[in-house]
Amino acid sequence: MTLIPQSILPASIHGRMLLISALATLVALAVAGLAILGVLQGFVTRGLDQRLDAELSLLATAVRPDGAIDKPRLAQVRAALAGEPGWRWRIASPGGVVSSADFPEVEDGPLLPPPPPLVPAADRAPPPPVGGPLEGPRAHAPQPGEGYDADGRRVHMRSVSLPSTAGPVTLTAAAPWAMVQKPVRGALLPLLAILAILGAVLGGAALVQLRLGLRPLRRLRADVAAVRDGRAQTVAEDQPEELRPLATELNALLQDNARTLATARASAANLAHALKTPVAALALELRDDPPRAALIDRLYGTIRHHLARARNAVTERRAAAPLAETIADLLGTVAQLHADRALVFDDTAQANVTVAIERSDLEELLGNLLDNAARHAASRVAIATTAQDGTVRITVSDDGPGIPVADRLRATAPGVRLDERGDGDGFGLAIVRDLAELNGGRLLLDEAPGGGLAATVELPRAGGAS
């Protein structure tokens, strides 16, 4: 069970890790801020307690051993006790209560320990000096308390009980709670600014960490893309410890695919050799029977067609073939085959363009197109190429009769011959179409600018767009 619902999680690992880091940083900063405020408030409160205890020490000097209040002495210390607005004091003795005006009510009264047993006057310690600490057998440790004044404002108190021969005397000093809140609030804005700066630093550190931490994944993705485009055969295994097993498994998978491809190609070649001899022998036997000889020619074309499909069903997608070089070689062969017709071959193929297809498949594909164009051309065959957005367009056009629009789809069906006068077997355009589609492309038939047929093959460019 995840702490964050899957519906709101980002789709990327980078986004998820950044979200978790941001949430953890916010929680950590909030906890740190609250902790710092608590420590600061405790520190200010202790400082206030020390000031109140000093006032209690002054009040203690006005209490006589018999519990009576030394009014002349109290008059001397009152100026110090009333130094700030809102500060109050009280002396509660068995003989009465003396206090500053509007002394607040104690909310839950300070818990004071019971006074110690009375000590004979001869053995009693003298009262503490003015401003001295509350020490000796006469005083207990001051106790905290809370209260509210007549306006409902919170006050903080300190109380102490002094023993006397007449009974315990309770001294209380109080100060407004604003004495604690004011410095805390004053420190709040700088604290928030510091936490904000710390959060920004931690956020920047998280971004840098994610950037560096996920860099091996991006590099591995680039390696896989290079293998797919034919620019590499394996991915680099020099990876961090967590990714090294993945890289190793990917390379093992690539090797298995290569072995499977080699086996398939070998099987196709063996089948081609196995059928070649019987078909050739059968053609010799029926050479004097034109109808049956035509059937043998069609059978040979069918074998070539299906062998091409079987071979390209497991075609090597990482292959790359040079386009201009392949076209130049094929044009030389086709020109020799049709040397008696004095055809003009116009080659404007782009240089330095590679196509994502096996060279043998490219030769068969273009060979069929060029031979088909040469057989139907009146005087000229042109071939042109364009490469854009990762796709290569190869157009072979002629100035022959062309193919009507209504017959263009049927012309790519296996064994269909629209012109019975020639010596073709009707499988050329079908093989071109199949080879193009099996390599991620397509075949388009259109009318050439000067009349005739313009056959265009679209194939993926090796390495993607440039």
Side-chain angles (χ1 to χ4, degrees):
M1 181 178 181
T2 57
L3 298 178
I4 304 176
Q6 292 290 331
S7 58
I8 66 173
L9 281 176
S12 66
I13 296 178
H14 183 277
R16 294 186 179 189
M17 294 181 69
L18 188 60
L19 175 61
I20 294 174
S21 177
L23 292 177
T25 300
L26 289 176
V27 171
L29 291 178
V31 172
L34 293 175
I36 293 173
L37 284 177
V39 172
L40 180 60
Q41 180 173 311
F43 178 78
V44 175
T45 302
R46 285 192 296 271
L48 181 60
D49 287 343
Q50 292 176 357
R51 295 183 62 184
L52 293 175
D53 290 347
E55 291 199 358
L56 292 177
S57 296
L58 288 174
L59 290 173
T61 62
V63 178
R64 295 175 179 173
D66 60 357
I69 298 175
D70 187 349
K71 293 184 178 180
R73 175 59 184 165
L74 181 61
Q76 293 177 0
V77 301
R78 286 185 68 174
L81 296 176
E84 297 184 50
W87 287 64
R88 300 172 179 89
W89 55 270
R90 181 178 64 181
I91 301 175
S93 66
V97 177
V98 179
S99 67
S100 59
D102 190 25
F103 191 82
E105 294 292 333
V106 178
E107 187 178 42
D108 288 321
L111 298 177
L112 302 177
L118 294 177
V119 180
D123 300 331
R124 191 177 300 136
V130 176
L134 293 172
E135 296 177 348
R138 297 191 61 206
H140 297 281
Q143 301 295 319
E146 303 294 332
Y148 293 89
D149 61 15
D151 297 327
R153 291 172 296 191
R154 184 181 175 186
V155 296
H156 182 65
M157 301 181 180
R158 294 282 286 181
S159 297
V160 68
S161 179
L162 300 178
S164 69
T165 56
V169 179
T170 302
L171 310 178
T172 305
W177 184 250
M179 297 298 296
V180 176
Q181 292 179 320
K182 185 176 180 180
V184 172
R185 288 176 179 173
L188 184 60
L189 186 60
L191 175 63
L192 291 178
I194 292 174
L195 291 178
I197 294 174
L198 181 59
V201 172
L202 291 177
L207 286 174
V208 173
Q209 181 182 9
L210 289 176
R211 185 74 178 174
L212 295 178
L214 295 179
R215 181 179 294 176
L217 281 177
R218 292 190 292 271
R219 186 168 61 246
L220 183 60
R221 181 184 64 182
D223 289 347
V224 173
V227 172
R228 179 175 57 84
D229 294 338
R231 292 179 283 111
Q233 297 298 321
T234 59
V235 300
E237 295 189 6
D238 183 17
Q239 304 286 347
E241 184 177 353
E242 293 80 4
L243 295 180
R244 192 176 301 119
L246 176 60
T248 302
E249 290 297 327
L250 284 175
N251 285 334
L253 178 62
L254 292 173
Q255 292 175 1
D256 290 342
N257 287 341
R259 284 193 291 267
T260 302
L261 179 64
T263 301
R265 291 190 180 280
S267 298
N270 292 336
L271 180 59
H273 286 293
L275 292 176
K276 180 180 179 180
T277 301
V279 170
L282 190 58
L284 290 174
E285 290 291 333
L286 299 176
R287 63 181 181 274
D288 298 329
D289 190 344
R292 289 184 173 84
L295 290 177
I296 295 300
D297 290 339
R298 180 166 294 187
L299 175 61
Y300 182 67
T302 302
I303 291 172
R304 290 186 60 203
H305 170 67
H306 287 286
L307 283 178
R309 290 181 62 90
R311 182 176 71 250
N312 286 278
V314 289
T315 187
E316 176 58 84
R317 300 300 181 188
R318 300 187 299 275
L323 183 58
E325 179 183 337
T326 304
I327 292 174
D329 293 343
L330 289 172
L331 283 178
T333 302
V334 174
Q336 291 181 0
L337 292 175
H338 300 275
D340 58 329
R341 300 180 54 203
L343 294 175
V344 176
F345 293 90
D346 185 7
D347 179 13
T348 60
Q350 290 180 320
N352 301 322
V353 176
T354 55
V355 188
I357 185 175
E358 285 286 344
R359 175 153 184 171
S360 59
D361 292 342
L362 182 62
E363 290 175 348
E364 184 170 1
L365 184 152
L366 294 179
N368 277 284
L369 285 181
L370 291 171
D371 182 65
N372 186 74
R375 284 189 291 107
H376 296 90
S379 60
R380 180 176 177 273
V381 174
I383 182 166
T385 63
T386 58
Q388 185 178 8
D389 297 333
T391 301
V392 178
R393 291 173 58 91
I394 309 167
T395 302
V396 178
S397 56
D398 61 69
D399 57 353
I403 299 177
V405 177
D407 294 332
R408 288 173 187 169
L409 180 62
R410 192 166 60 91
T412 60
V416 175
R417 295 179 59 191
L418 301 179
D419 184 4
E420 297 294 339
R421 293 172 300 174
D423 56 354
D425 53 22
F427 285 89
L429 292 178
I431 292 176
V432 170
R433 183 199 66 188
D434 287 343
L435 286 174
E437 291 178 353
L438 289 170
N439 285 276
R442 60 176 179 166
L443 170 65
L444 303 173
L445 300 180
D446 203 352
E447 184 177 351
L453 179 66
T456 299
V457 176
E458 292 182 353
L459 292 172
R461 185 174 183 175
S466 62

